Amino acid sequence: MDSDLSDSFNMNKLLLGPGPSNVPKRVLTALSNNCISHLDPDFFSILDEISENLKSLFKTENETTFAISGTGSAGMEAAFANLIDEGDKVLVFSCGLFGERMAEVAERYGANVVIKSKEWGEVFEYNEIINSIKEYDDLKIVSIVHAETSTGAHQPISDIGNFLKNRDIIFLVDSVTSFTGTELNIDDWGIDVCYSGTQKCLNVPPGLSPITFSEKALRKIRNRKQKVKSWYLDLNLLKNYLGEKRVYHHTAPVNMLYGLNEGLKICLEEGLEKRILRHKDTSEYFNRMLHETGLKLFVKDNVFSLPMLKSIQLDKKISDGIRIDILKKHKIEIGGGLGHTKGLIWRVGFMGCNSNKESVDVFFETLKNYV
Ligand code: PLP
Protein backbone atom coordinates (compact mmCIF):
# COMPACT_ATOMS: atom_id res chain seq x y z
CA MET A 1 0.00 0.00 0.00
CA ASP A 2 1.48 3.41 -0.84
CA SER A 3 1.42 6.24 1.66
CA ASP A 4 -1.67 7.90 0.16
CA LEU A 5 -3.67 4.78 0.77
CA SER A 6 -2.30 3.97 4.21
CA ASP A 7 -2.89 7.56 5.35
CA SER A 8 -6.53 6.74 5.87
CA PHE A 9 -5.57 4.41 8.73
CA ASN A 10 -4.26 7.37 10.70
CA MET A 11 -7.86 8.40 10.98
CA ASN A 12 -9.74 8.02 14.16
CA LYS A 13 -12.48 5.97 12.56
CA LEU A 14 -12.40 3.50 9.73
CA LEU A 15 -15.34 4.42 7.50
CA LEU A 16 -16.64 1.17 6.03
CA GLY A 17 -20.15 2.45 5.43
CA PRO A 18 -21.83 3.51 2.19
CA GLY A 19 -19.97 6.86 2.31
CA PRO A 20 -18.39 9.09 3.34
CA SER A 21 -15.18 7.09 3.08
CA ASN A 22 -11.91 8.03 4.78
CA VAL A 23 -10.15 11.11 3.47
CA PRO A 24 -6.39 10.83 2.79
CA LYS A 25 -4.00 13.34 4.41
CA ARG A 26 -3.17 14.87 1.05
CA VAL A 27 -6.81 15.81 0.53
CA LEU A 28 -7.16 17.13 4.09
CA THR A 29 -4.07 19.27 3.58
CA ALA A 30 -5.42 20.60 0.31
CA LEU A 31 -8.72 21.47 1.98
CA SER A 32 -6.87 23.57 4.54
CA ASN A 33 -5.01 25.71 2.00
CA ASN A 34 -5.61 29.46 2.10
CA CYS A 35 -8.90 30.48 0.62
CA ILE A 36 -8.65 32.72 -2.43
CA SER A 37 -11.41 34.41 -4.40
CA HIS A 38 -13.66 32.37 -6.64
CA LEU A 39 -12.94 35.09 -9.25
CA ASP A 40 -9.13 34.90 -8.92
CA PRO A 41 -7.42 33.77 -12.15
CA ASP A 42 -5.39 31.30 -10.07
CA PHE A 43 -8.66 29.70 -8.99
CA PHE A 44 -9.88 29.52 -12.59
CA SER A 45 -6.74 27.48 -13.37
CA ILE A 46 -7.79 25.04 -10.62
CA LEU A 47 -11.31 24.82 -12.06
CA ASP A 48 -9.86 24.10 -15.49
CA GLU A 49 -7.59 21.43 -14.04
CA ILE A 50 -10.53 19.81 -12.24
CA SER A 51 -12.52 19.77 -15.47
CA GLU A 52 -9.66 18.13 -17.41
CA ASN A 53 -9.09 15.53 -14.69
CA LEU A 54 -12.80 14.75 -14.45
CA LYS A 55 -12.88 14.28 -18.22
CA SER A 56 -10.06 11.74 -17.98
CA LEU A 57 -11.76 9.83 -15.17
CA PHE A 58 -15.22 9.94 -16.77
CA LYS A 59 -13.54 8.93 -20.06
CA THR A 60 -15.20 11.70 -22.00
CA GLU A 61 -14.38 14.54 -24.36
CA ASN A 62 -17.40 16.51 -23.05
CA GLU A 63 -16.31 20.12 -22.52
CA THR A 64 -19.16 20.64 -20.05
CA THR A 65 -17.66 18.58 -17.25
CA PHE A 66 -17.35 20.18 -13.82
CA ALA A 67 -18.39 19.91 -10.18
CA ILE A 68 -21.81 21.11 -9.04
CA SER A 69 -21.72 22.95 -5.68
CA GLY A 70 -23.69 20.47 -3.61
CA THR A 71 -23.74 16.76 -2.82
CA GLY A 72 -24.73 13.93 -5.16
CA SER A 73 -28.41 14.84 -4.78
CA ALA A 74 -27.61 18.30 -6.18
CA GLY A 75 -26.07 16.55 -9.19
CA MET A 76 -29.28 14.55 -9.60
CA GLU A 77 -31.37 17.72 -9.39
CA ALA A 78 -29.06 19.58 -11.78
CA ALA A 79 -29.42 16.82 -14.35
CA PHE A 80 -33.21 16.65 -14.21
CA ALA A 81 -33.79 20.40 -13.73
CA ASN A 82 -31.83 21.23 -16.87
CA LEU A 83 -33.05 18.37 -19.05
CA ILE A 84 -36.77 18.31 -18.30
CA ASP A 85 -39.21 20.50 -20.16
CA GLU A 86 -42.69 20.49 -18.60
CA GLY A 87 -44.47 17.24 -19.52
CA ASP A 88 -41.42 15.41 -20.94
CA LYS A 89 -41.81 11.66 -20.66
CA VAL A 90 -39.00 10.25 -18.48
CA LEU A 91 -38.47 6.51 -18.11
CA VAL A 92 -36.80 5.67 -14.79
CA PHE A 93 -35.43 2.18 -14.12
CA SER A 94 -35.46 1.61 -10.37
CA CYS A 95 -34.04 -1.23 -8.27
CA GLY A 96 -33.75 0.62 -4.97
CA LEU A 97 -33.97 3.84 -3.04
CA PHE A 98 -31.87 5.97 -5.38
CA GLY A 99 -33.83 4.84 -8.44
CA GLU A 100 -36.99 5.83 -6.59
CA ARG A 101 -35.42 9.17 -5.74
CA MET A 102 -34.67 9.80 -9.41
CA ALA A 103 -38.37 9.32 -10.22
CA GLU A 104 -39.36 11.64 -7.37
CA VAL A 105 -36.98 14.38 -8.48
CA ALA A 106 -37.99 14.09 -12.15
CA GLU A 107 -41.64 14.41 -11.18
CA ARG A 108 -40.95 17.52 -9.10
CA TYR A 109 -39.36 19.15 -12.16
CA GLY A 110 -42.54 18.57 -14.16
CA ALA A 111 -41.80 15.31 -15.98
CA ASN A 112 -44.36 12.72 -16.95
CA VAL A 113 -42.55 9.88 -15.17
CA VAL A 114 -42.87 6.24 -16.09
CA ILE A 115 -41.14 4.02 -13.55
CA LYS A 116 -40.07 0.42 -14.15
CA SER A 117 -39.23 -1.23 -10.87
CA LYS A 118 -37.43 -4.36 -9.81
CA GLU A 119 -37.24 -5.89 -6.40
CA TRP A 120 -34.45 -4.45 -4.24
CA GLY A 121 -31.30 -6.53 -4.74
CA GLU A 122 -32.05 -7.26 -8.41
CA VAL A 123 -30.84 -5.57 -11.59
CA PHE A 124 -32.42 -5.14 -15.03
CA GLU A 125 -31.35 -7.29 -17.95
CA TYR A 126 -30.43 -5.53 -21.18
CA ASN A 127 -33.44 -6.91 -23.07
CA GLU A 128 -35.87 -5.83 -20.37
CA ILE A 129 -34.50 -2.30 -20.63
CA ILE A 130 -34.62 -2.15 -24.40
CA ASN A 131 -38.11 -3.65 -24.55
CA SER A 132 -39.35 -1.10 -22.01
CA ILE A 133 -37.84 1.74 -24.03
CA LYS A 134 -39.52 0.43 -27.19
CA GLU A 135 -42.94 0.56 -25.48
CA TYR A 136 -42.97 4.37 -25.78
CA ASP A 137 -42.57 6.52 -28.87
CA ASP A 138 -42.41 9.85 -27.04
CA LEU A 139 -39.63 9.27 -24.51
CA LYS A 140 -37.30 12.18 -23.82
CA ILE A 141 -35.05 10.80 -21.09
CA VAL A 142 -34.05 7.35 -19.83
CA SER A 143 -32.45 7.28 -16.40
CA ILE A 144 -30.79 4.60 -14.32
CA VAL A 145 -28.53 4.17 -11.27
CA HIS A 146 -25.21 2.44 -12.06
CA ALA A 147 -24.39 1.48 -8.45
CA GLU A 148 -27.53 1.19 -6.31
CA THR A 149 -26.12 2.08 -2.90
CA SER A 150 -29.27 1.02 -1.06
CA THR A 151 -28.88 -2.61 -2.18
CA GLY A 152 -25.27 -3.08 -3.31
CA ALA A 153 -26.37 -4.03 -6.83
CA HIS A 154 -24.25 -3.25 -9.88
CA GLN A 155 -26.51 -2.42 -12.83
CA PRO A 156 -24.94 -3.23 -16.24
CA ILE A 157 -25.35 -0.14 -18.43
CA SER A 158 -22.66 -0.38 -21.09
CA ASP A 159 -24.95 -1.08 -24.08
CA ILE A 160 -28.03 1.04 -23.33
CA GLY A 161 -26.65 4.38 -24.51
CA ASN A 162 -25.61 3.03 -27.86
CA PHE A 163 -29.18 1.87 -28.47
CA LEU A 164 -30.37 5.43 -27.68
CA LYS A 165 -27.61 7.19 -29.63
CA ASN A 166 -29.55 7.82 -32.85
CA ARG A 167 -32.83 8.45 -31.07
CA ASP A 168 -34.01 11.72 -29.64
CA ILE A 169 -33.66 10.36 -26.10
CA ILE A 170 -31.18 11.45 -23.43
CA PHE A 171 -29.43 8.74 -21.41
CA LEU A 172 -28.90 9.84 -17.80
CA VAL A 173 -26.80 7.83 -15.32
CA ASP A 174 -26.25 8.14 -11.56
CA SER A 175 -22.64 7.18 -10.80
CA VAL A 176 -22.48 8.56 -7.25
CA THR A 177 -21.08 5.32 -5.83
CA SER A 178 -19.52 3.75 -8.92
CA PHE A 179 -17.28 6.60 -10.18
CA THR A 180 -13.58 5.56 -10.14
CA GLY A 181 -14.37 2.28 -8.38
CA THR A 182 -15.58 0.34 -11.39
CA GLU A 183 -15.62 0.72 -15.14
CA LEU A 184 -17.59 3.73 -16.38
CA ASN A 185 -17.08 4.93 -19.90
CA ILE A 186 -19.17 8.00 -20.69
CA ASP A 187 -18.39 8.42 -24.39
CA ASP A 188 -18.08 4.77 -25.44
CA TRP A 189 -21.23 3.83 -23.57
CA GLY A 190 -23.23 6.71 -25.08
CA ILE A 191 -24.10 8.32 -21.74
CA ASP A 192 -25.40 11.88 -22.18
CA VAL A 193 -25.47 13.09 -18.61
CA CYS A 194 -23.77 11.54 -15.60
CA TYR A 195 -23.38 12.89 -12.09
CA SER A 196 -21.44 11.55 -9.12
CA GLY A 197 -20.43 12.48 -5.57
CA THR A 198 -17.13 13.09 -3.84
CA GLN A 199 -17.54 11.11 -0.62
CA LYS A 200 -17.44 7.60 -2.08
CA CYS A 201 -14.59 6.23 -4.22
CA LEU A 202 -12.93 9.66 -4.56
CA ASN A 203 -12.27 9.92 -0.78
CA VAL A 204 -13.11 13.61 -0.72
CA PRO A 205 -15.59 14.88 1.90
CA PRO A 206 -19.23 15.27 0.83
CA GLY A 207 -20.14 18.58 -0.79
CA LEU A 208 -19.54 18.45 -4.53
CA SER A 209 -21.07 16.56 -7.42
CA PRO A 210 -18.93 15.93 -10.51
CA ILE A 211 -21.15 16.05 -13.60
CA THR A 212 -20.78 15.81 -17.36
CA PHE A 213 -23.10 16.79 -20.25
CA SER A 214 -22.80 15.56 -23.85
CA GLU A 215 -23.43 17.75 -26.89
CA LYS A 216 -26.74 15.95 -27.39
CA ALA A 217 -27.81 16.89 -23.84
CA LEU A 218 -26.66 20.49 -24.34
CA ARG A 219 -28.76 20.68 -27.52
CA LYS A 220 -31.84 19.62 -25.58
CA ILE A 221 -31.07 22.22 -22.93
CA ARG A 222 -30.53 24.96 -25.55
CA ASN A 223 -33.90 24.15 -27.11
CA ARG A 224 -35.85 24.30 -23.84
CA LYS A 225 -39.24 25.95 -24.04
CA GLN A 226 -39.16 27.29 -20.47
CA LYS A 227 -36.49 28.61 -18.14
CA VAL A 228 -34.77 25.99 -15.96
CA LYS A 229 -36.87 25.82 -12.79
CA SER A 230 -33.88 25.97 -10.47
CA TRP A 231 -31.91 29.23 -10.62
CA TYR A 232 -28.98 27.80 -8.64
CA LEU A 233 -28.56 24.76 -10.89
CA ASP A 234 -29.32 26.42 -14.24
CA LEU A 235 -26.54 25.28 -16.55
CA ASN A 236 -26.95 28.31 -18.80
CA LEU A 237 -26.06 30.57 -15.88
CA LEU A 238 -23.40 28.26 -14.48
CA LYS A 239 -21.67 28.16 -17.86
CA ASN A 240 -21.18 31.94 -17.78
CA TYR A 241 -19.00 31.39 -14.72
CA LEU A 242 -17.36 28.14 -15.79
CA GLY A 243 -16.75 29.23 -19.39
CA GLU A 244 -14.63 32.05 -20.81
CA LYS A 245 -16.85 34.88 -19.52
CA ARG A 246 -16.16 34.05 -15.86
CA VAL A 247 -19.23 35.97 -14.70
CA TYR A 248 -20.13 35.66 -11.02
CA HIS A 249 -23.06 33.31 -10.41
CA HIS A 250 -22.61 31.96 -6.90
CA THR A 251 -19.54 31.86 -4.65
CA ALA A 252 -17.86 28.58 -5.56
CA PRO A 253 -16.87 26.46 -2.52
CA VAL A 254 -13.19 27.20 -3.03
CA ASN A 255 -11.64 24.89 -0.41
CA MET A 256 -13.87 21.97 -1.31
CA LEU A 257 -12.66 22.35 -4.87
CA TYR A 258 -9.03 22.28 -3.67
CA GLY A 259 -9.90 18.99 -1.97
CA LEU A 260 -11.55 17.56 -5.07
CA ASN A 261 -8.59 18.61 -7.20
CA GLU A 262 -6.24 16.67 -4.91
CA GLY A 263 -8.56 13.65 -4.80
CA LEU A 264 -8.65 13.52 -8.60
CA LYS A 265 -4.86 13.78 -8.79
CA ILE A 266 -4.52 10.83 -6.41
CA CYS A 267 -6.80 8.75 -8.67
CA LEU A 268 -4.86 9.67 -11.77
CA GLU A 269 -1.50 9.01 -10.12
CA GLU A 270 -2.63 5.52 -9.17
CA GLY A 271 -4.17 5.05 -12.62
CA LEU A 272 -7.86 4.45 -13.20
CA GLU A 273 -7.49 0.89 -14.45
CA LYS A 274 -5.28 -0.07 -11.51
CA ARG A 275 -7.74 1.52 -9.11
CA ILE A 276 -10.68 -0.33 -10.62
CA LEU A 277 -8.77 -3.60 -10.44
CA ARG A 278 -7.94 -2.94 -6.77
CA HIS A 279 -11.66 -2.53 -6.01
CA LYS A 280 -12.41 -5.76 -7.88
CA ASP A 281 -9.70 -7.68 -6.00
CA THR A 282 -10.94 -6.38 -2.65
CA SER A 283 -14.49 -7.34 -3.56
CA GLU A 284 -13.51 -10.89 -4.52
CA TYR A 285 -11.51 -11.27 -1.32
CA PHE A 286 -14.51 -10.01 0.68
CA ASN A 287 -16.83 -12.48 -1.08
CA ARG A 288 -14.50 -15.38 -0.21
CA MET A 289 -14.24 -14.29 3.43
CA LEU A 290 -18.01 -13.82 3.67
CA HIS A 291 -18.58 -17.29 2.27
CA GLU A 292 -16.42 -18.72 5.08
CA THR A 293 -18.62 -17.06 7.70
CA GLY A 294 -21.76 -18.60 6.18
CA LEU A 295 -23.32 -15.16 5.69
CA LYS A 296 -24.85 -14.23 2.32
CA LEU A 297 -24.78 -11.20 0.07
CA PHE A 298 -28.11 -9.37 -0.27
CA VAL A 299 -27.97 -9.04 -4.06
CA LYS A 300 -29.87 -11.87 -5.75
CA ASP A 301 -27.01 -12.85 -8.04
CA ASN A 302 -23.43 -12.43 -6.73
CA VAL A 303 -22.22 -11.50 -10.21
CA PHE A 304 -24.05 -8.19 -9.75
CA SER A 305 -22.57 -7.38 -6.35
CA LEU A 306 -20.84 -4.00 -6.37
CA PRO A 307 -17.07 -4.02 -5.90
CA MET A 308 -17.07 -0.96 -3.59
CA LEU A 309 -20.19 -1.69 -1.54
CA LYS A 310 -21.05 -5.11 -0.16
CA SER A 311 -24.54 -5.62 1.20
CA ILE A 312 -24.95 -8.59 3.51
CA GLN A 313 -28.06 -10.26 4.86
CA LEU A 314 -28.20 -10.34 8.62
CA ASP A 315 -29.09 -13.67 10.19
CA LYS A 316 -29.97 -14.75 13.73
CA LYS A 317 -26.30 -14.55 14.80
CA ILE A 318 -25.97 -10.85 14.00
CA SER A 319 -28.30 -8.14 15.18
CA ASP A 320 -28.24 -4.74 13.51
CA GLY A 321 -27.77 -3.14 16.95
CA ILE A 322 -24.13 -4.23 17.20
CA ARG A 323 -23.19 -1.71 14.52
CA ILE A 324 -23.28 1.02 17.16
CA ASP A 325 -21.15 -1.09 19.48
CA ILE A 326 -18.66 -1.67 16.67
CA LEU A 327 -18.52 2.06 16.01
CA LYS A 328 -18.05 2.92 19.70
CA LYS A 329 -15.62 0.16 20.70
CA HIS A 330 -13.76 -0.54 17.49
CA LYS A 331 -14.21 2.80 15.71
CA ILE A 332 -15.44 1.15 12.54
CA GLU A 333 -18.41 2.59 10.69
CA ILE A 334 -20.74 0.13 8.95
CA GLY A 335 -23.93 1.11 7.13
CA GLY A 336 -27.37 -0.25 7.96
CA GLY A 337 -30.24 -0.96 5.58
CA LEU A 338 -32.46 1.78 4.18
CA GLY A 339 -36.24 1.72 3.80
CA HIS A 340 -37.71 -1.76 4.14
CA THR A 341 -34.23 -3.33 4.45
CA LYS A 342 -33.59 -1.46 7.73
CA GLY A 343 -32.53 -4.02 10.34
CA LEU A 344 -32.24 -6.73 7.68
CA ILE A 345 -29.02 -5.89 5.89
CA TRP A 346 -25.66 -4.19 6.40
CA ARG A 347 -23.93 -2.15 3.77
CA VAL A 348 -20.17 -2.38 4.02
CA GLY A 349 -18.17 0.01 1.87
CA PHE A 350 -14.62 -0.43 0.60
CA MET A 351 -14.29 2.78 -1.32
CA GLY A 352 -11.19 4.39 -2.80
CA CYS A 353 -8.34 4.23 -0.28
CA ASN A 354 -10.44 1.93 1.93
CA SER A 355 -10.56 -0.74 -0.75
CA ASN A 356 -7.87 -3.19 0.32
CA LYS A 357 -7.38 -6.57 1.94
CA GLU A 358 -6.46 -4.98 5.29
CA SER A 359 -9.86 -3.28 5.61
CA VAL A 360 -11.63 -6.55 4.79
CA ASP A 361 -9.54 -8.39 7.40
CA VAL A 362 -10.27 -5.73 10.02
CA PHE A 363 -13.99 -6.05 9.29
CA PHE A 364 -14.09 -9.85 9.66
CA GLU A 365 -11.76 -9.87 12.69
CA THR A 366 -14.05 -7.38 14.42
CA LEU A 367 -17.14 -9.38 13.51
CA LYS A 368 -15.64 -12.42 15.27
CA ASN A 369 -16.16 -10.61 18.58
CA TYR A 370 -19.91 -10.76 18.05
CA VAL A 371 -20.74 -14.11 16.42
N1 PLP B 1 -27.34 8.47 -5.71
C1 PLP B 1 -26.74 7.43 -5.13
C2 PLP B 1 -26.60 6.15 -5.89
C3 PLP B 1 -26.24 7.54 -3.84
O1 PLP B 1 -25.63 6.51 -3.26
C4 PLP B 1 -26.40 8.76 -3.14
C5 PLP B 1 -25.91 8.89 -1.76
O2 PLP B 1 -25.50 7.96 -1.13
C6 PLP B 1 -27.04 9.81 -3.79
C7 PLP B 1 -27.50 9.64 -5.08
C8 PLP B 1 -27.23 11.11 -3.09
O3 PLP B 1 -26.00 11.67 -2.80
P1 PLP B 1 -25.80 12.65 -1.55
O4 PLP B 1 -26.18 11.91 -0.33
O5 PLP B 1 -24.34 12.96 -1.65
O6 PLP B 1 -26.65 13.84 -1.79
Side-chain angles (χ1 to χ4, degrees):
M1 213 186 334
D2 68 32
S3 61
D4 286 332
L5 304 181
S6 60
D7 270 347
S8 78
F9 288 94
N10 297 330
M11 297 290 162
N12 201 16
K13 292 183 180 174
L14 178 60
L15 303 183
L16 300 185
S21 53
N22 285 99
V23 179
K25 276 261 168 58
R26 267 179 68 178
V27 173
L28 291 173
T29 305
L31 285 162
S32 67
N33 278 339
N34 279 325
C35 188
I36 57 173
S37 165
H38 58 297
L39 297 170
D40 184 323
D42 284 342
F43 186 63
F44 293 143
S45 305
I46 293 173
L47 287 181
D48 290 344
E49 193 173 17
I50 288 173
S51 176
E52 283 310 309
N53 289 342
L54 283 174
K55 280 164 68 181
S56 300
L57 294 167
F58 270 131
K59 295 195 171 179
T60 183
E61 297 294 320
N62 292 339
E63 283 308 320
T64 307
T65 302
F66 63 102
I68 294 276
S69 306
T71 63
S73 305
M76 189 188 285
E77 293 229 17
F80 283 120
N82 283 283
L83 290 171
I84 292 169
D85 245 328
E86 192 73 33
D88 275 358
K89 186 167 283 178
V90 177
L91 179 56
V92 179
F93 290 96
S94 170
C95 306
L97 183 110
F98 293 102
E100 289 169 10
R101 189 181 288 182
M102 272 188 147
E104 165 75 19
V105 171
E107 195 195 312
R108 284 177 185 234
Y109 281 99
N112 171 6
V113 176
V114 181
I115 180 160
K116 299 278 175 187
S117 301
K118 279 262 173 186
E119 253 184 59
W120 286 34
E122 293 186 1
V123 294
F124 287 93
E125 283 175 23
Y126 175 73
N127 284 340
E128 290 176 300
I129 290 175
I130 301 305
N131 289 339
S132 296
I133 292 169
K134 284 181 182 164
E135 276 178 46
Y136 307 94
D137 53 16
D138 54 349
L139 277 185
K140 298 292 185 211
I141 301 165
V142 166
S143 77
I144 202 156
V145 178
H146 189 204
E148 184 43 85
T149 324
S150 62
T151 68
H154 191 176
Q155 172 65 56
I157 56 166
S158 57
D159 298 322
I160 306 166
N162 288 317
F163 176 79
L164 298 174
K165 218 162 208 166
N166 297 318
R167 292 172 166 77
D168 205 11
I169 303 173
I170 299 296
F171 185 36
L172 167 59
V173 170
D174 176 316
S175 71
V176 170
T177 289
S178 57
F179 185 47
T180 73
T182 192
E183 210 186 332
L184 173 67
N185 210 327
I186 300 299
D187 288 356
D188 278 2
W189 294 0
I191 298 170
D192 293 302
V193 182
C194 184
Y195 58 86
S196 187
T198 45
Q199 74 273 27
K200 313 271 186 179
C201 295
L202 284 178
N203 304 126
V204 175
L208 292 170
S209 176
I211 195 164
T212 185
F213 290 86
S214 72
E215 188 45 45
K216 185 175 166 186
L218 294 179
R219 210 178 313 124
K220 180 164 181 8
I221 295 168
R222 273 197 299 273
N223 293 332
R224 293 179 58 87
K225 295 185 207 74
Q226 308 111 9
K227 274 187 184 173
V228 173
K229 285 188 178 166
S230 163
W231 176 88
Y232 191 65
L233 299 171
D234 183 341
L235 190 62
N236 300 304
L237 303 179
L238 289 172
K239 281 186 88 170
N240 285 339
Y241 172 65
L242 295 162
E244 277 165 22
K245 291 190 199 151
R246 301 297 190 188
V247 177
Y248 163 71
H249 173 257
H250 67 276
T251 310
V254 173
N255 289 54
M256 275 305 299
L257 287 151
Y258 293 160
L260 175 61
N261 197 22
E262 200 61 28
L264 298 176
K265 281 183 191 165
I266 292 173
C267 286
L268 289 166
E269 282 166 22
E270 180 179 12
L272 186 57
E273 306 313 321
K274 210 171 141 199
R275 192 174 179 89
I276 289 170
L277 196 62
R278 179 162 58 77
H279 281 81
K280 185 168 175 280
D281 288 346
T282 303
S283 169
E284 286 170 1
Y285 180 63
F286 178 92
N287 290 352
R288 286 198 299 278
M289 296 289 282
L290 187 74
H291 185 72
E292 281 174 24
T293 66
L295 288 163
K296 294 207 163 32
L297 290 169
F298 174 67
V299 288
K300 294 283 174 338
D301 182 341
N302 289 2
V303 173
F304 301 114
S305 169
L306 283 170
M308 73 294 289
L309 183 73
K310 314 306 292 181
S311 55
I312 55 181
Q313 295 180 39
L314 302 182
D315 66 9
K316 280 183 246 102
K317 286 181 288 183
I318 303 178
S319 93
D320 188 32
I322 65 172
R323 275 191 304 118
I324 299 300
D325 204 61
I326 291 176
L327 183 59
K328 278 193 189 146
K329 285 205 188 111
H330 302 275
K331 298 195 183 306
I332 300 172
E333 153 97 10
I334 296 164
L338 297 172
H340 66 269
T341 63
K342 189 170 168 13
L344 302 177
I345 69 170
W346 277 359
R347 295 175 304 139
V348 193
F350 299 96
M351 299 178 175
C353 64
N354 291 349
S355 171
N356 51 57
K357 198 168 167 284
E358 290 89 329
S359 297
V360 175
D361 286 338
V362 167
F363 171 75
F364 283 106
E365 278 305 312
T366 308
L367 201 58
K368 277 188 193 154
N369 295 305
Y370 296 88
V371 292

